[in-house]
Each structure stands twice: as C-alpha cells, then as structure tokens.
Amino acid sequence: GAGVSQSPSNKVTEKGKDVELRCDPISGHTALYWYRQSLGQGLEFLIYFQGNSAPDKSGLPSDRFSAERTGGSVSTLTIQRTQQEDSAVYLCASSYSHTETQYFGPGTRLLVL
Amino acid sequence: GQQLNQSPQSMFIQEGEDVSMNCTSSSIFNTWLWYKQDPGEGPVLLIALYKAGELTSNGRLTAQFGTTRKDSFLNISASIPSDVGIYFCAGQPSGTYKYIFGTGTRLKVLA
C-alpha cells in the first residue's frame, strides 16, 4: 500500500512568513509524529497525535509552531512568522499505535531566507 | 531534545568490510529501531527489536537488543557501495510513546 506522503517536498520562504506543511499517514495508522531534522543532526521530536486523544505538544520549540490532525488522518504543521533557524527537514511518521514501529515520509525541506 | 549516544559518528570503509555501530542510553528502552536515511529521503526502517537479548537479521544486517535494555548494536556484513548513508538508532523508553533518536552514523563505502 501507499506509504507516508508529505507536501511540499521543498519550501523556500522569506523570514516572517507563515508556512504550512502537510502529512498524509498510512491508511489505518492512528499514531502520527512530527520531527525536525537540522542539517547533519538527528531527529528532534515535535508533536505526537494518537487517535482522538489530546496531542502531546511538548516538543514544539515555540508558540510559533502548531499542528492539527483532521479526522484522525491528515496532519498539518504550521510555522508562523518563520525565522532562519526554522530551516530544517520536517519529517512525519505514522504507526498503527505507539507500540508499533514508525514509518517515515520523505520529509519537507524548509529554507527560510 | 534528549538524544541517544550513537557511535561512531562516521565511518569510511572498504567495500567488502564488515561494519559495526552501536547506541547506548541511560534509560531502559522497550523497543529499539534501526533506520537508514539516504540523502534527500526520509529514514527507512531496517530492523525492529522488541525484547531484551533479541538478535534479528535482515539480509546482511544484524541487530541486537542489549540484555541491559540500555543498548543496541547494528552490524553490516560484506559492505557494498549502496550501504552508503546515515544510520540512526531509535529507542522507546519504558512507559512512553516517544522515540528518542541517536545522532546518526554516517557510512561511506570506498569501492
């Protein structure tokens, strides 16, 4: 079946603009994670969604970052008033549950000028 | 954020050589995962480990869940050029749903 998809694959924006990143998880996966990967670094946890439960937002670096998941499927990560330090690859992953292994999308490469 | 201690950070090896990398943590983990990431791509799952002491193979790859539940290693036998990439370990601490990722091992294979 189809894997996790993300869009756009690349995004270049100007400092101060808002951006929206989209993630389509694997069908039937109830758990969805967002991560940020800075150049040459590991993955930094941002936010976790599980079914209809309240999301764990503990990894969001500032209040400029927010995410939602509509209908338990598609998720959108929004970064307001982007800063240059927001430049990174934003990865989405999904799994059947938090105890199951995660499958990653290809990522969105964000560059803030 | 919290990250695992993964080593080595990078490796340059000759084609045909075996490779070994490991991750250690101060926390007990329920699950260890090993991923490979190619340039411009998301991480792809290689091996998943769910029990202490578990030894699992996937082709030329072998990984083990340490008996202390605080470490894991990944071995690649007879490396080939397409093994080039960044290898990440990820662990799920007991009682949580979050995964903590290692900083990655960058592997380069010289033909």
Side-chain angles (χ1 to χ4, degrees), chain A:
Chain A
V4 178
S5 61
Q6 292 185 245
S7 61
S9 53
N10 293 279
K11 176 71 176 179
V12 180
T13 190
E14 293 179 348
K15 177 181 174 181
K17 295 285 181 68
D18 298 350
V19 295
E20 279 191 357
L21 313 180
R22 177 187 168 106
C23 172
D24 284 89
I26 293 172
S27 178
H29 281 192
T30 60
L32 187 148
Y33 300 76
W34 282 98
Y35 294 89
R36 179 169 68 176
Q37 184 178 30
S38 300
L39 185 63
Q41 300 298 313
L43 279 67
E44 174 189 4
F45 168 80
L46 296 178
I47 189 169
Y48 164 74
F49 295 90
Q50 173 60 57
N52 295 321
S53 302
D56 179 344
K57 306 179 181 180
S58 61
L60 296 179
S62 77
D63 58 8
R64 295 187 295 105
F65 287 72
S66 63
E68 62 178 22
R69 189 177 184 193
T70 55
S73 181
V74 172
S75 178
T76 302
L77 177 69
T78 302
I79 309 174
Q80 296 177 309
R81 306 181 301 282
T82 52
Q83 303 294 312
Q84 289 182 334
E85 60 263 29
D86 298 335
S87 297
V89 177
Y90 290 83
L91 291 159
C92 173
S94 72
S95 60
Y96 278 112
S97 72
H98 72 273
T99 59
E100 301 293 325
T101 57
Q102 300 174 64
Y103 295 88
F104 281 84
T108 293
R109 283 142 195 82
L110 175 66
L111 177 62
V112 182
L113 301 176

Side-chain angles (χ1 to χ4, degrees), chain B residues 4-6 10 13 16 48 53 59 62-63 75-76 86 99-100 102 105 110:
Chain B
L4 299 175
N5 181 22
Q6 183 171 350
S10 62
I13 62 169
T62 301
N75 287 343
I76 305 172
I86 303 175
Y99 283 88
I100 301 171
T105 294
L110 306 175

Side-chain angles (χ1 to χ4, degrees), chain A residues 35 42-43 101-102 104, chain B residues 2-6 22-25 29-36 43-50 64-65 69 71-74 87-93 97-104:
Chain A
Y35 294 89
L43 279 67
T101 57
Q102 300 174 64
F104 281 84
Chain B
Q2 181 181 2
Q3 291 188 321
L4 299 175
N5 181 22
Q6 183 171 350
N22 69 83
C23 282
T24 59
S25 169
F29 285 172
N30 282 342
T31 303
W32 282 98
L33 308 174
W34 284 93
Y35 288 90
K36 179 179 182 241
V44 173
L45 182 68
L46 299 174
I47 292 179
L49 303 163
Y50 300 104
Q64 184 161 29
F65 192 142
R69 297 174 64 191
D71 62 337
S72 178
F73 72 76
L74 174 71
Y87 292 80
F88 289 101
C89 63
Q92 187 178 50
Y97 48 76
K98 293 181 184 179
Y99 283 88
I100 301 171
F101 281 77
T103 51

